Amino acid sequence: MLKRIRVTLAIICFTLITLLFLDFTGTIHAWFGWMAKLQFIPALLASSTITVLAIIIVTLTFGRIYCSILCPLGVYQDGISRMAEKRKKNRYKFKKSRKWLRYSILLVFAVLLFVGLNSIAILIAPYSIYGRIASNLFSPVYLWINNILAYLAERWDSYAFYHVDVYIKSLPIFIVSIAYFLIITILSLTSGRWFCNTICPVGTILGFFAKYSLFKPVIDKSKCNGCGLCEKNCRCAAIDSKNHKIDYTKCVTCFICVDKCHQKAMRYRLAGNVDHSQKVKMIGDETKDGKVSRKTFIATVATVTAATALQAQEKVVDGGLATIEKKKAPKRETPIKPAGSRSLANFTSRCTGCQLCVQACPNDVLRASSKLETFMQPEMSYERGYCRPECTRCSEVCPAGAITKVTREQKTAIQVGHAVWVGQNCVPLRDGVSCGNCAKHCPSGAITMMQYDPEDASSPLIPSINTERCIGCGACEHVCPARPFSAIYVEGNLIHKEV
């Protein structure tokens, strides 16, 4: 019964969190966006003391329930492990915890967060890893299915679905996501929850508290017949059935051992009720008494090769006689961060790179950075759209406090960057034709057209930028007809200003 309840809750949480990364309409976020804020690392970076304390208290009471129900990467590993168990049953065996490795990784992780190197630390953050897999690998499939349904619905004069563009937002991030997917899947197929109990910093932190939890799975020696089914089915390799011991730092309270025990010797109960003569010793408290066998779980990981997905056919004009050259992103000295980020420093120190805001952005403005110092953290670019002043979706979905929630009114008064004009790219000067697109589409009225030569009334009109009114939305950069680089682009602000 306990296992069924746990599995049901895990499936519900996993499905809803996955839909948060797949949803492009904002419907799921409106109802279940709070679930992303229950994740440990985002809550920690958002300084959500209540959430962090709640998770720790639950762990001190019931064990690592968080890892087996709320963590999407943990539930994903469970699902893959279950698939492998259908081919080979009773395939696990007890392995001593490599505490030196677990705590060393946790120490490095904590130091990186402390010094602000989030882009490196989040490489092993479980929620962020799953977010990248879901947004870069699962989302395109979801969108393709949506487009097929939109095509079929259109034939029946229905607009229940609508077509959306499917493209790779960042090839390096796409390749990294494939690598994550392969590594986690292979580890789950071969070693169960090895990642959770060796690499994952959240697993190490909660494992420490789980040693002292009130409720634990315990072994009744008087009923145990030594069949070893509990050990052979423990995906965490936490049960030493021969010596009747359980490593509670590794146990994720999945109740599989309780379900498998035909003798009812394995029970989940209040640890204090166990008879002292039969009380189970916690392996985490034992001292080392000899050599630790050295095992290699993976010798090599296959080199990941990824070809770009199907790209949208190039748009044509003039009856197909002329091809519109694709825009390229300019080299910005300061990257642009969304309204609500407050500053570049605040954003980089809190962002987990989970890609939730990237998926939620309806204007395709946000994309993951491929720069080493901000790797996988989102930044804004305007080749496919611009940041509409009325849109606040990214601030509504961020679980880590990297983007604080702002209202529509507040956003129109926040300057995330300022426009810069590049004369050599401007169409009136370069091609001798009139333009003015940037001024026509500027929502804040920060751009006006003026004579290139004030003393010559026949000189071409060029944009004049009022940087005090510009909010950095990128409308001017997006609509500029100059190719491949716009004649006007947005340079980010280190600290966001009010206009």
Side-chain angles (χ1 to χ4, degrees), residues 371-383:
K371 301 171 186 174
L372 182 61
E373 63 272 18
T374 56
F375 192 54
M376 289 187 286
Q377 292 185 339
E379 59 186 29
M380 302 171 72
S381 200
Y382 305 118
E383 293 78 62

Side-chain angles (χ1 to χ4, degrees), residues 57 69 96 120 137 149 178 186 194 204 215 261 264 296 313 327 364 393 441 457 465:
I57 291 172
I69 294 179
K96 287 187 177 181
I120 300 177
L137 302 184
L149 294 175
I178 292 178
I186 291 172
W194 183 88
T204 302
F215 291 88
C261 184
K264 305 300 180 182
T296 305
Q313 186 178 5
K327 276 197 174 186
D364 290 331
R393 288 276 294 279
H441 292 86
I465 304 166

